[in-house]
Amino acid sequence: MKKIVPQVDLIIEVLDARIPFSSENPMLAEIRGDKPCIKVLSKSDLADPELTKQWQDYLEQEKDVKTIALTTEQPEHIRDLLDLCRKMVPAKASSVKNIQAMIMGIPNVGKSTLINHLAGRQIAKTGNEPAVTKMQQRIKLDQGIVLLDTPGVLWPKLENRHGGYRLAITGAIKETAISNDDIALYAVDYFRRAYPELLIERYQLDQLPQDELSLLEMIGAKRGCLRAGGMVDLERAAKILLTEFRSSTIGRITLETPEMMERELVEMAEIRAEKAAKKEARKKKKHGSRD
Ligand SMILES: Nc1nc2c(ncn2[C@@H]2O[C@H](COP(=O)(O)OP(=O)(O)O)[C@@H](O)[C@H]2O)c(=O)[nH]1
Ligand SMILES: [Mg+2]
């Protein structure tokens, strides 16, 4: 990516509107330098519209960044992205020169679907499987825009445990060390606090229990996920909850807000500082014992 950036006029980063923070490339700000950037909030039909608006305002505070929320539910708006590309590169806006745009995003974020809509034909394979796009390719679009498609790569946000959970909840990561039950428990705990009314409505609950385990059990019981002896089958309850979140059957839900992002960035910085301090202390100790 570092090699390609100098050759392009513009960078298009495709983010999942439900997790604009956890699906972003944490290195992008550094890599792009002063190249203009469009952040596409994809699958916006699944996300909370109010929060999508909040995210757009927030992300556009960064210099040379514009955003656009898109969804395949409104394909007629997808090509607005091409107009925005031209606007973002004023030097070439009124010229016949091509605009070279690099497009990037984690697997499963909807990048191939977007490219196919922009091109008006089937170019990239789509699928609900991470990493379908493997090769880099150049795609010529209308309005003199050339897309440089890069393979979808997932940059591990190991530092932020919340990011791992949220990527797993949306299905962006399939093979994870976290069990389905834990993912669903994390999800239901967030829904309980952020979208209580959606849970009550969807699962016909009278009230919400205070802890996530009781809540997931209650949902499982409502759905008849019972094992012999009347115990709730948590694994099945977890599957139902995650499937219904991913299809937005529970409702339009966004898993993180700009405030949450800022808080977590502070936490991450603190953890990093703590680690560095410990390392320093160890070094000193080692050095000291040698003297
Ligand atoms: N609900 C919804 N699903 C979408 C949208 N765009 C893509 N998808 C689905 O997301 C999955 C991944 O899409 P794909 O384009 O292959 O993602 P890529 O890995 O980033 O290239 C597919 O099942 C698509 O049908 C959208 O706007 N809304
Ligand atoms: Mg793809």
Side-chain angles (χ1 to χ4, degrees):
M1 243 163 55
K2 269 187 187 158
K3 255 200 257 161
I4 302 172
V5 169
Q7 305 165 22
V8 301
D9 301 301
L10 173 76
I11 292 159
I12 302 171
E13 184 177 36
V14 187
L15 302 174
D16 184 322
R18 296 165 300 172
I19 46 168
F21 172 40
S22 298
S23 60
E24 75 163 8
N25 181 338
M27 306 284 290
L28 180 60
E30 196 182 305
I31 295 170
R32 82 178 170 91
D34 53 7
K35 290 277 151 104
C37 177
I38 298 174
K39 302 209 183 229
V40 174
L41 297 183
S42 79
K43 306 194 186 185
S44 60
D45 55 300
L46 306 176
D48 179 335
E50 248 170 67
L51 283 180
T52 298
K53 186 80 199 45
Q54 259 191 46
W55 271 112
Q56 289 190 265
D57 293 342
Y58 179 82
L59 293 170
E60 291 191 2
Q61 287 172 21
E62 199 180 325
K63 195 173 164 284
D64 298 321
V65 169
K66 288 275 177 267
T67 65
I68 183 168
L70 297 175
T71 156
T72 48
E73 303 274 293
Q74 291 177 308
E76 67 278 11
H77 288 308
I78 294 182
R79 291 169 67 88
D80 293 352
L81 178 59
L82 298 179
D83 301 324
L84 187 56
C85 285
R86 287 224 83 96
K87 273 196 212 121
M88 292 288 283
V89 189
K92 287 189 179 174
S94 53
S95 93
V96 289
K97 280 195 191 143
N98 281 340
I99 290 177
Q100 311 273 342
M102 181 174 99
I103 184 163
M104 54 188 274
I106 60 169
N108 213 31
V109 77
K111 190 159 62 85
S112 299
T113 305
L114 178 64
I115 292 171
N116 290 339
H117 271 94
L118 292 173
R121 61 186 194 278
Q122 183 80 18
I123 287 181
K125 265 193 196 162
T126 63
N128 220 336
E129 279 306 312
V132 172
T133 309
K134 292 231 165 66
M135 302 236 295
Q136 185 185 312
Q137 49 180 344
R138 215 169 247 281
I139 302 143
K140 207 155 182 286
L141 305 174
D142 290 347
Q143 303 194 37
I145 292 163
V146 178
L147 270 190
L148 231 68
D149 187 15
T150 53
V153 281
L154 186 63
W155 16 86
K157 273 226 175 123
L158 297 174
E159 280 183 314
N160 187 6
R161 69 180 194 93
H162 300 289
Y165 277 109
R166 293 180 197 132
L167 288 162
I169 293 169
T170 62
I173 45 179
K174 293 253 162 65
E175 303 300 325
T176 107
I178 324 170
S179 78
N180 238 10
D181 299 11
D182 283 341
I183 295 165
L185 285 170
Y186 184 98
V188 91
D189 188 43
Y190 174 75
F191 301 162
R192 175 176 69 82
R193 284 175 287 116
Y195 298 94
E197 65 295 337
L198 290 183
L199 282 184
I200 288 173
E201 168 78 20
R202 175 67 196 159
Y203 299 106
Q204 302 286 300
L205 308 173
D206 299 323
Q207 91 295 1
L208 294 183
Q210 283 308 302
D211 70 291
E212 61 272 26
L213 183 58
S214 310
L215 178 52
L216 189 57
E217 281 176 346
M218 194 181 266
I219 290 170
K222 281 275 179 182
R223 284 308 180 79
C225 305
L226 298 176
R227 288 196 309 217
M231 287 252 295
V232 172
D233 184 339
L234 265 194
E235 180 65 22
R236 266 174 66 206
K239 218 172 236 164
I240 288 178
L241 184 89
L242 293 174
T243 305
E244 295 194 347
F245 164 76
R246 289 171 190 158
S247 58
S248 74
T249 310
I250 301 172
R252 297 176 67 176
I253 292 178
T254 295
L255 296 177
E256 52 196 13
T257 65
E259 297 88 76
M260 287 162 75
M261 166 170 169
E262 298 216 318
R263 214 181 318 133
E264 287 164 26
L265 284 173
V266 170
E267 279 167 19
M268 283 155 73
E270 282 168 1
I271 291 171
R272 224 175 293 140
E274 228 169 81
K275 271 191 191 152
K278 270 191 194 146
K279 201 172 162 190
E280 193 55 34
R282 268 202 305 274
K283 235 174 129 187
K284 263 197 188 139
K285 207 170 150 194
K286 214 169 151 189
H287 197 73
S289 62
R290 234 186 278 142
D291 289 341

